[in-house]
Amino acid sequence: DALPICQGFFAVSEDGGAAAGAGCPDDSCEAGPKVQSDAIKECEGYADGKHCVIFGHNQDILVPYEIAE
């Protein structure tokens, strides 16, 4: 089971086919640039060569999106 993340980043591939998150399991650390980079690298490991972007940071969504039907 995954631990809850209090601070962190969530990355998705530009085609939406892959995603990954990285962060801190409690408030004892600050999710900075290294954690952001870790989320992107992990996502790109699943993305079959596609580029990943940061979709969210902590509780904030950073990329506008639509749900396709």
Side-chain angles (χ1 to χ4, degrees), residues 6 8-10 54-63 65:
C6 292
F9 293 90
F10 185 71
I54 295 298
F55 180 81
H57 176 233
N58 297 336
Q59 302 298 319
D60 299 320
I61 295 172
L62 305 176
V63 176
Y65 70 98

Side-chain angles (χ1 to χ4, degrees), residues 1-65:
D1 290 317
L3 295 173
I5 294 177
C6 292
Q7 292 190 36
F9 293 90
F10 185 71
V12 296
S13 61
E14 291 179 329
D15 69 351
C24 303
D26 57 43
D27 288 328
S28 66
C29 71
E30 184 175 331
K34 181 183 179 328
V35 176
Q36 180 177 351
S37 177
D38 289 347
I40 290 172
K41 286 178 185 173
E42 186 172 345
C43 175
E44 289 179 345
Y46 298 120
D48 295 327
K50 295 179 180 69
H51 180 67
C52 290
V53 297
I54 295 298
F55 180 81
H57 176 233
N58 297 336
Q59 302 298 319
D60 299 320
I61 295 172
L62 305 176
V63 176
Y65 70 98

